[in-house]
Amino acid sequence: MPQPQDGEAIVMRHTGLHDIGTGSIRTIPLAVPLAGRLAKAVQLALAGSILMLGGASAEPDAVASLPDVPVIEEGGGAKPVAAWTALCARLPAECAVDTSQPATIALNPAIWRTLSSVNRRVNARIRPITDIAHWGVVDRWDYPDDGFGDCEDFQLLKRKMLIERGLPRRALRMTVVIDDIGEGHAVLMVRTDRGDLILDNKTNAILPGLRTGYTFVKREGQDGMAWVALNGVASPVTTANR
């Protein structure tokens, strides 16, 4: 596959008690019910304790099982795709970087649930379509306001929803990859203190970047509008797939 230089157009593609003993027959009618009540009370107490412990341990905590992973290696500067530049002209706030915001997010169970919920919701809500079929152009980055979009449109909407839920935009970076079938694709990189996590319209699973099977090409910078190269890989050939 020919590998054009960085900056060429890219169209993105688009988880018992024992019985109580008695000393005489007379006491048996009284002792047996008492034993039953005591046994039941103890059983209920034990059950309550088990439920409390089970409830605590059953709280979904995918973060605990997520290993710390290295961040994806950065190179020098990179040119954004042309469709990104056009998006910036239409919606400048999409490209603005507020350096007062944190560049990474402290990952915890609540943040994990938010990421997972948004990823699943958008993936289920938007129907994939190519830009040619949708807009009549090879590549366009925009919000899927009509319910249709390709990969970058999915990710833009996810980022908007995550920002609305209090996550810092600066830690949510649009990213270009070569996917599992060798085509250009866009994902959302969430930069955390546990490593770089990827939100993708091709799966509901949130994976560390290095476990996606993708080749990472470039992403938005976090200190300005310039993008940064990843892994020293050239941009993929232009495609028109979802």
Side-chain angles (χ1 to χ4, degrees), residues 145-175:
D145 292 335
D146 60 356
F148 296 86
D150 65 356
C151 55
E152 66 272 357
D153 307 328
F154 279 76
Q155 316 319 332
L156 288 170
L157 178 56
K158 291 173 189 176
R159 180 164 74 167
K160 179 181 179 181
M161 292 172 65
L162 290 171
I163 292 169
E164 289 171 348
R165 287 156 176 76
L167 276 65
R169 177 191 295 271
R170 191 181 178 206
L172 307 171
R173 304 286 82 190
M174 293 292 292
T175 303

Side-chain angles (χ1 to χ4, degrees), residues 7-138:
E8 291 195 13
I10 301 171
V11 178
M12 305 307 163
R13 267 177 22 92
H14 355 311
T15 197
L17 287 176
H18 64 276
D19 291 336
I20 295 177
T22 62
S24 66
I25 294 176
R26 288 186 179 185
T27 60
I28 291 176
L30 296 175
V32 171
L34 178 60
R37 288 196 296 271
L38 287 173
K40 186 174 183 179
V42 172
Q43 289 170 349
L44 288 173
L46 288 172
S49 299
I50 292 169
L51 287 172
M52 289 178 64
L53 292 173
S57 61
E59 175 71 20
D61 187 1
V63 181
S65 63
L66 182 68
D68 290 322
V69 295
V71 297
I72 297 169
E73 182 182 351
E74 297 179 14
K79 294 179 181 179
V81 297
W84 169 261
T85 302
L87 173 68
C88 295
R90 295 194 312 271
L91 303 171
E94 285 300 323
C95 306
V97 177
D98 182 356
T99 55
S100 69
Q101 292 184 339
T104 61
I105 297 168
L107 192 60
N108 58 44
I111 294 294
W112 178 267
R113 287 192 296 270
T114 297
L115 295 175
S116 181
S117 173
V118 168
N119 194 50
R120 290 176 177 275
R121 180 177 176 186
V122 174
N123 287 352
R125 173 175 156 189
I126 304 303
R127 297 182 62 184
I129 189 173
T130 64
D131 284 330
I132 283 288
H134 196 192
W135 303 108
V137 297
V138 173

Side-chain angles (χ1 to χ4, degrees), residues 192-208:
T192 82
D193 58 351
R194 301 290 293 273
D196 294 329
L197 301 178
I198 301 302
L199 274 61
D200 190 358
N201 62 299
K202 295 175 67 174
T203 177
N204 286 332
I206 298 175
L207 297 174

